[in-house]
Amino acid sequence: MMTDLPPGPGDRAVRGTGADAAVGPASGPPQLISWNITLRCPLKCPHCYVQAGENETVGVLSTDEALAVIDQIRDAGTPVVVLSGGEPLMREDLCTIARYGTERGLRMVMGTSGYFLDRSMAARLRDAGIRAVAVSIDAADPAVHDAVRGVSGAWQKAVQAVRNCRDEGMDVRINMTVMRPRAGDVHAVVELGQSLGVTDYQVFFPVPTGRAQDYGPLDPRDYEAVIRQVLLTYHGTGVNLRPTCAPQFRRIALDLGIDNPAWGRGCIAGTRYCRIYADGQVTPCPFLPVSAGNVRKTPFREIWYHSPVFSALRDPDLLTGKCGRCGYKGICGGCRARAYRGTGGVVPRWCDGLMQPGDRAGELCDEDPWCPYDPGGGP
């Protein structure tokens, strides 16, 4: 059961104050926050959801503002905070932010391409309190990975980054984006990771956001076949693998008789998870460019507990279409980013700014157009 939790006395914004009226059901404290602390990146990935590149975004949070955001997050709970980008290692005050979050009692982790993560940097991150690092490796073949990332030598740097982090005693996870629907590609990356001593993997499936919105149609049935094969292959093997941005994996797993309590709901956007954008905007997830508020104006706690955007996402009874009548909606929920993109509206590129909550917020609850499962019972 969801219960409303009013703002606490320690709530404050980076600059100014604000308050949202409580709307709809609330949730518990956030469990996971992804924070784009910079949009600079040396790579040129065609699937980048924030279109990261050489230039920083306008209005990026300063060091003092970033530390104040840590205070705001701590007022709302003790979630895992993923320092991400762009490439977070391009932010000079990365270790300052990580150390402060650690001192405030947050579990600080990082997602990176590994491009700048040499042994010395790994040691600095460990000393700053970074508990775990996720390194992106999209293929076991260096040429394929480098082609996807747009920079020669990116694969070698990523693999060495895994070694460096493990040598410095940090947990490591490999993140892989499935650019083509082939289970063999996933298996090859897992085999590579196992040779490096990695047991945790997160497999991302493309979402048409940012630069990825130029991709052609992706056949969801092909990707469902990949999910099915991957789940069957690694069930009970000691490999901890979670499909991401494909919440229907919970339906597929249940049909296969596979369950992992650590998985949680398929789509956790706005329920257990949110993203803080580089300029302080808070969105339900990195792939969903709808602002629920800005920490420069409204304390994070108020945004998390009282934003109409988050309230809508926390009420499964608001789901419409196939998702609304689906018996799996409690464990799946459908991809809210694809549902929003699937309405036919134009999703802005990040340089055009984020959508603001309002009339469009209702579209967050539309059916997921990428799920081929039809529960029946309606048009």
Side-chain angles (χ1 to χ4, degrees), residues 3 29-30 85 104 117 140 143 164 174 188 212 276 302 319 338-339 360 368:
T3 58
R104 293 288 280 123
L117 218 174
N164 293 336
I174 288 178
I276 300 176
E302 293 186 22
L319 293 173
R338 290 195 185 90
R360 300 181 68 87
D368 180 350

Side-chain angles (χ1 to χ4, degrees), residues 148-171:
V148 169
R149 297 284 162 173
V151 175
S152 297
W155 184 90
Q156 183 60 49
K157 289 180 179 292
V159 170
Q160 188 59 48
V162 172
R163 295 191 180 104
N164 293 336
C165 290
R166 285 188 51 78
D167 288 345
E168 292 299 329
M170 289 183 287
D171 293 335

Side-chain angles (χ1 to χ4, degrees), residues 135-331:
V135 179
S136 296
I137 300 179
D138 295 327
D141 184 335
V144 174
H145 176 90
D146 289 358
V148 169
R149 297 284 162 173
V151 175
S152 297
W155 184 90
Q156 183 60 49
K157 289 180 179 292
V159 170
Q160 188 59 48
V162 172
R163 295 191 180 104
N164 293 336
C165 290
R166 285 188 51 78
D167 288 345
E168 292 299 329
M170 289 183 287
D171 293 335
V172 179
R173 186 182 73 200
I174 288 178
N175 287 350
M176 175 189 183
T177 298
V178 181
M179 305 303 293
R180 53 185 180 178
R182 288 178 47 177
D185 293 346
V186 179
H187 300 328
V189 169
V190 171
E191 288 180 2
L192 170 64
Q194 289 178 309
S195 73
L196 299 170
V198 177
T199 59
D200 293 329
Y201 303 83
Q202 198 157 6
V203 180
F204 290 80
F205 291 82
V207 179
T209 302
R211 282 199 286 262
Q213 67 180 299
D214 293 332
Y215 273 33
L218 303 172
D219 190 330
R221 291 176 176 79
D222 291 342
Y223 282 93
E224 287 221 0
V226 172
I227 294 170
R228 182 176 294 272
Q229 291 178 50
V230 168
L231 290 174
L232 284 171
T233 298
Y234 298 110
H235 175 58
T237 64
V239 169
N240 181 22
L241 186 149
R242 187 188 194 280
T244 301
C245 300
Q248 64 266 40
F249 90 89
R250 291 301 318 274
R251 164 178 55 81
I252 297 169
L254 188 63
D255 289 348
L256 294 173
I258 300 173
D259 187 30
N260 183 343
W263 279 340
R265 191 169 184 255
C267 180
I268 58 175
T271 59
R272 300 166 51 198
Y273 173 55
C274 70
R275 183 271 304 274
I276 300 176
Y277 190 57
D279 65 357
Q281 301 273 10
V282 180
T283 75
C285 87
F287 301 94
L288 186 51
V290 178
S291 176
N294 192 307
V295 293
R296 280 180 160 142
K297 299 178 181 178
T298 306
F300 176 80
R301 182 186 177 102
E302 293 186 22
I303 296 171
W304 177 258
Y305 286 110
H306 302 309
S307 164
V309 171
F310 288 162
S311 293
L313 292 170
R314 292 166 188 165
D315 188 351
D317 290 337
L318 294 181
L319 293 173
T320 61
K322 291 194 301 181
C323 288
R325 61 179 186 271
C326 182
Y328 296 101
K329 67 180 179 181
I331 62 170

Side-chain angles (χ1 to χ4, degrees), residues 327-348:
Y328 296 101
K329 67 180 179 181
I331 62 170
C332 172
C335 176
R336 297 300 94 212
R338 290 195 185 90
Y340 187 81
R341 178 67 175 83
T343 60
V346 176
V347 174

